[in-house]
Amino acid sequence: MRDIIIIGSGPAGFTAAIYAARAQLNPLLIASSVEIGGELMNTTEVENYPGFPEGIMGPDLMTNFQQQAERFGTEVVYDDVVELELDGPVKRVKLGNGGVEEARTVVYATGSAYRKLGLPEEEVLSGHGLSWCATCDGFFFRQKTIAVVGGGDSAMEEATFLTRFADKVYVIHRRDTLKASKIMQQRAFDNEKIEFIWNAEIAAIHGTDAVTGVTLRDTVNGEERGLDLDGLFVAIGNDPRTHLVHGKLDLTAEGTIAVDGRSSRTSIAGVFAAGDVIDPNYRQAITAAGTGAAAALDAEHYLAALDASDDEEAAPVAAPELAGVAAE
């Protein structure tokens, strides 16, 4: 049985692994069979992660995370967790390959998933002109007209990146102001290839084999109009990946895992959470890494307390007559 299993391979998961490995807890990190490295694997240049004054590509940063974790002895498994048994002193993690891993503690750091528009056409046209990842699919839209839906940092980054390929990039936002940081907004405003469509939402996506356009609905007066497009990128936020712990761990009103104050302690002893699954507000690589460090430290302290308790129970107790002699 292991001391610690870490579920998730983003900044939170790998930082927890680095700290746990340095504490000689011999962590097992389950990285998923498909989405390894978290959202940064779909990010271009990361400019706001400390220590990289010239910036660093998202995939390169995550490669560094993994190499550092493995350097200290983290074992990485590329598989998917399908079920968790968290009650009791032994935690059981069932994998897609049929195997079961056991540990005294678990750190749950599965990140978040792209939020969808909720339109039926998304299932049909996903991968056929409809995408949630500009760095993955931008190359296919050279000299095309495309649109990005959203108003946050991710949407501005996607739009700016896509101007490398497309002739025209619309940004469709349901309000008349952006949520993005000022620097990201200004970059988009200054780019001559980007045009903003304010107070609008996607009512329908058109196309049979590929995206050909959308129907826009005015969020103020409800009027609808068409917009011809060759591609559509959705960047409207993310939802925490908590489906494996529904009914097992307490959740917040925002759907994130509830933790005790600023700690990573969940509603079950020995289970800790970190990263986007506990953070509805900031959702930055640096904050995720910080909570990953906290989770490993919390797990280390929990294990130390368990071991101390076991030692006390196992300690021999002096016979009454001998204790009396010693007292004299």
Side-chain angles (χ1 to χ4, degrees):
M1 183 173 63
R2 299 175 183 271
D3 283 323
I4 185 168
I5 293 175
I6 299 163
I7 304 171
S9 58
F14 274 123
T15 301
I18 291 167
Y19 273 73
R22 282 176 53 80
Q24 299 184 339
L25 298 179
N26 301 315
L28 171 68
L29 186 145
I30 302 173
S32 167
S33 63
V34 180
E35 298 175 326
I36 302 164
E39 289 184 43
L40 284 181
M41 296 300 290
N42 299 323
T43 303
T44 52
E45 192 171 14
V46 179
E47 298 178 318
N48 57 1
Y49 199 90
F52 299 94
E54 303 301 321
I56 184 172
M57 298 298 286
D60 293 338
L61 180 59
M62 290 316 305
T63 297
N64 291 350
F65 269 88
Q66 180 168 350
Q67 290 176 346
Q68 190 171 358
E70 290 177 331
R71 172 193 169 198
F72 293 113
T74 299
E75 179 184 350
V76 179
V77 170
Y78 301 100
D79 205 341
D80 299 306
V81 177
V82 296
E83 188 177 346
L84 294 171
E85 295 179 11
L86 302 176
D87 290 324
V90 179
K91 319 302 179 184
R92 293 178 175 83
V93 179
K94 298 183 180 181
L95 303 178
N97 63 11
V100 177
E101 298 286 349
E102 296 183 342
R104 296 196 291 167
T105 63
V106 166
V107 172
Y108 193 84
T110 52
S112 56
Y114 295 119
R115 190 172 296 160
K116 295 186 177 182
L117 296 169
L119 299 172
E121 300 92 346
E122 285 179 289
E123 301 304 322
V124 177
L125 294 172
S126 177
H128 299 278
L130 175 61
S131 175
W132 286 261
C133 177
T135 54
C136 306
D137 302 324
F139 178 82
F140 300 107
F141 294 90
R142 289 187 178 275
Q143 299 179 320
K144 302 291 186 180
T145 298
I146 58 180
V148 174
V149 184
D153 278 354
S154 295
M156 297 307 103
E157 182 181 21
E158 298 264 287
T160 302
F161 175 78
L162 288 167
T163 60
R164 300 182 187 183
F165 309 102
D167 287 341
K168 180 76 172 183
V169 178
Y170 292 101
V171 173
I172 301 168
H173 186 43
R174 59 183 294 109
R175 299 180 179 85
D176 59 1
T177 57
L178 299 171
K179 296 184 296 182
S181 60
K182 296 299 182 183
I183 188 170
M184 297 299 290
Q185 290 188 41
Q186 199 57 52
R187 285 181 185 173
F189 291 148
D190 291 343
N191 195 309
E192 61 183 12
K193 286 188 175 183
I194 296 177
E195 179 179 336
F196 285 81
I197 300 177
W198 304 103
N199 297 317
E201 61 185 4
I202 306 292
I205 308 171
H206 306 305
T208 302
D209 300 318
V211 171
T212 58
V214 297
T215 296
L216 298 176
R217 180 185 298 120
D218 191 299
T219 57
V220 177
N221 57 32
E223 293 181 358
E224 294 186 353
R225 65 183 178 93
L227 178 66
D228 293 334
L229 295 172
D230 300 302
L232 180 67
F233 289 79
V234 180
I236 57 173
N238 305 71
D239 293 310
R241 289 191 176 99
T242 57
H243 60 284
L244 287 171
V245 296
H246 285 182
K248 301 177 186 294
L249 298 178
D250 290 347
L251 303 180
T252 67
E254 293 89 353
T256 55
I257 296 173
V259 293
D260 181 16
R262 296 188 62 188
S263 79
S264 66
R265 296 186 295 270
T266 70
S267 55
I268 294 181
V271 180
F272 307 89
D276 285 2
V277 291
I278 67 169
D279 179 12
N281 298 314
Y282 302 108
R283 299 186 54 257
Q284 300 295 308
I286 186 64
T287 53
T291 60
L297 292 170
D298 286 342
E300 181 185 359
H301 296 156
Y302 172 84
L303 289 168
L306 279 183
D307 292 338
S309 175
D310 291 342
D311 290 343
E312 289 177 2
E313 292 178 3
V317 179
E321 61 273 19
L322 293 179
V325 170
E328 295 175 0

